[in-house]
Amino acid sequence: MKKRCYLYSLLGLLLLSCNDSFLDRPPLDKLTDENYWQTEQHVINAANACYPAFVGKDIINMDCLGEDLIWYQDKSWRTISGGNYGSSHGTLNSVWEDRYESLRYCHYFLENYNRATSVSETSRERYAAEVRVIRAHQYWWLLSFFGDMPFITKTLNMSSPELYAPRTDKYASVDWLLDDLEACYKNLPESIEPSSKEFGRITQAAALTMKARLALQFADKAHPKYWEIAAEAAKRVMEMNKYTIYKTGNPEKDYENLFNFTGRASRNAANRETILAYVYNYDNNSNSKLIHNLSRECHVPDQQARFLPSKAFCDAYLCTDGKPFEVSAMADSSSYAAYFENRDPRMKQTVIYPGYAPYHGGRDGRDLSAIDKVFQTPRFNNDKKGSVSGTGFYCVKYVEPTKVPVYNTDDNDIILMRYAEVLLIYAEAMFEQGKLTQAIVDETINQLRGRVNMHPMILTELAAWGMDVRQEIHRERRIELFMEGFRWFDVVRWKEGWRLGQPIKGINKSWVHPSQKEYIESYATDTYGYLILDNTRQFVDPKNYLFCLPQQQMERNPNLRPNNPGWD
């Protein structure tokens, strides 16, 4: 898993070579398609070359599709999220082509892996199952983004009639993928020990999590069978007794530490929550270094910070009494510091708060001449002396403080699947089937709240307070899985698209430190004084529940038309 970049290029060369004339004799001293599939290492390398389809750290960029995480310097996802784009938008075409390119790698592997006849069938089928899970993951994205899609399960060439095929009904594609995952998952190891050499490879638990995720995404009242499939797949992971919520008896830090160097499963054998991670290795003295820059981007000390939490997200945290911020007697919005008090403890382990240290983002909003490495208040002055946040909020989640000061040296794991998601899938799917009980809440949602000593969810209590159970399940998923690439998918499947059309807001103008007041003079504010970063967003129902098909693809294949509803 440590040479994915080179192996990705290698498989690309093999894909190209498969179209060579049969009269060309392959050189004996070079790898070609004709002589490649000889050893188990060849099979492993080819399977490894499919793993970059998970995109690693860039999954955080994708979370900017929703309304909870904002990166206003990146206009690609921002314009799509705000509904202000058309079929010529370049990112649409990139998403389409990148995902189909990843699928081609998968299909090429699946068409050729059995040529490695010297390798045991058990080994061959294990790596084939890995690739089939990756294929399902790519289609989860494509079907969610575009709806009905050409459903391709083999490599194509320029003369393939499938290049001009019409779109396949998405539910037929989903059924095929669910059956495929069920057929292959037992060929995988049940689990892989954290901190072991093979950690980062796909397991039975990952395949079943992918099955549960896919089924949940497309479940609705017209397709209720998917809730049953999602719950059943999630339950099988739970019954493995291989995974548990990561906690060390430190409720004030355990959630935060799950996402930094302290808890990363690639190095920490005690982390039995991470099911699948994209593993980086900068500090491991590998010949091929895999790195990212996420920690620094969140607190970049000399320019605008990336990945800014919005007011809408921060408002979603309950108070410690289990009630929403807008109704709890414990809520206090009189100041920036007060806003963070008496809230779900995950808030301070996700969003930077007054008193956070060590802070490596340069000068904060106090604009001290001597930096004390303690964050107290946000900075709006973009003079390259400190990290600037347009919303006034910064992320703590995924920030490894030791990696903020130096550019591009971060090798923290990017979690792709974890046990918390499995528990949340099970709770939601059981609720939608009318089967949710307090016992199920206790073995799922309250496991997550228990990690941080948050007030438990009690169904009778919610009823007495007039709180909607479905919305509280949705809130729990929003809070727990923030910054993990799910928000847009969740809003879409819950048919809560109106959220994406709301203005993006930041902190209250009255909270801004006096030294920063002049830098927010141009900001608009709402009736209550909260900063408005963007009031141009729109969401048209049903139009914006699916992406527009890329113009370039429709020109290449007219049979893709008609476009999705509302886009023609």
Side-chain angles (χ1 to χ4, degrees), residues 178-315:
L178 293 172
D179 289 344
D180 192 55
L181 290 169
E182 184 63 30
C184 77
Y185 89 95
K186 287 189 177 178
N187 294 327
L188 296 159
E190 190 174 50
S191 63
I192 293 175
E193 289 297 307
S195 192
S196 67
K197 183 178 180 180
E198 285 209 321
F199 184 80
R201 303 207 75 89
I202 293 168
T203 60
Q204 288 186 24
L208 290 171
T209 301
M210 188 66 247
K211 182 179 180 182
R213 182 188 293 181
L214 182 64
L216 187 71
Q217 186 65 36
F218 296 98
D220 55 32
K221 290 182 179 179
H223 305 87
K225 68 175 183 178
Y226 293 135
W227 281 316
E228 182 178 352
I229 292 171
E232 190 272 340
K235 188 64 172 177
R236 272 191 272 174
V237 178
M238 295 162 67
E239 290 176 343
M240 286 179 178
N241 295 319
K242 297 287 187 179
Y243 299 94
T244 188
I245 297 302
Y246 173 78
K247 53 185 178 181
T248 67
N250 185 5
E252 295 183 352
K253 281 290 185 180
D254 279 341
Y255 179 82
E256 178 183 344
N257 286 343
L258 175 64
F259 300 95
N260 60 33
F261 282 12
T262 302
R264 56 179 172 172
S266 63
R267 315 310 204 263
N268 186 345
N271 178 355
R272 309 199 73 85
E273 179 170 348
T274 301
I275 294 172
L276 181 65
Y278 202 102
V279 177
Y280 293 80
N281 63 350
Y282 179 84
D283 287 338
N284 278 358
N285 297 317
S286 171
N287 291 329
S288 174
K289 292 186 180 296
L290 295 179
I291 55 176
H292 59 81
N293 198 40
L294 181 57
S295 294
R296 182 175 175 85
E297 289 177 334
C298 289
H299 294 176
V300 60
D302 59 355
Q303 53 185 279
Q304 294 270 356
R306 281 71 156 164
F307 311 119
L308 307 175
S310 68
K311 175 183 181 293
F313 171 69
C314 294
D315 283 351

Side-chain angles (χ1 to χ4, degrees), residues 138-155:
Q138 300 306 289
Y139 269 122
W140 167 60
W141 276 343
L142 283 172
L143 297 172
S144 299
F145 289 152
F146 297 106
D148 298 348
M149 293 287 289
F151 190 66
I152 309 298
T153 59
K154 64 179 183 180
T155 55

Side-chain angles (χ1 to χ4, degrees), residues 156-171:
L156 305 180
N157 56 46
M158 295 301 294
S159 62
S160 298
E162 290 87 353
L163 290 175
Y164 306 98
R167 299 159 74 184
T168 304
D169 176 77
K170 68 179 179 181
Y171 295 106

Side-chain angles (χ1 to χ4, degrees), residues 246 250-264 299 345-353 356-358 395-401 412 415 451-452 480:
Y246 173 78
N250 185 5
E252 295 183 352
K253 281 290 185 180
D254 279 341
Y255 179 82
E256 178 183 344
N257 286 343
L258 175 64
F259 300 95
N260 60 33
F261 282 12
T262 302
R264 56 179 172 172
H299 294 176
R346 284 172 292 187
M347 184 178 189
K348 285 188 175 182
Q349 298 182 55
T350 304
V351 182
I352 198 169
Y353 58 92
Y356 171 86
C395 289
V396 170
K397 186 170 180 176
Y398 267 126
V399 172
E400 169 53 44
N412 199 3
I415 298 176
R451 185 208 316 258
V452 296
E480 179 69 27

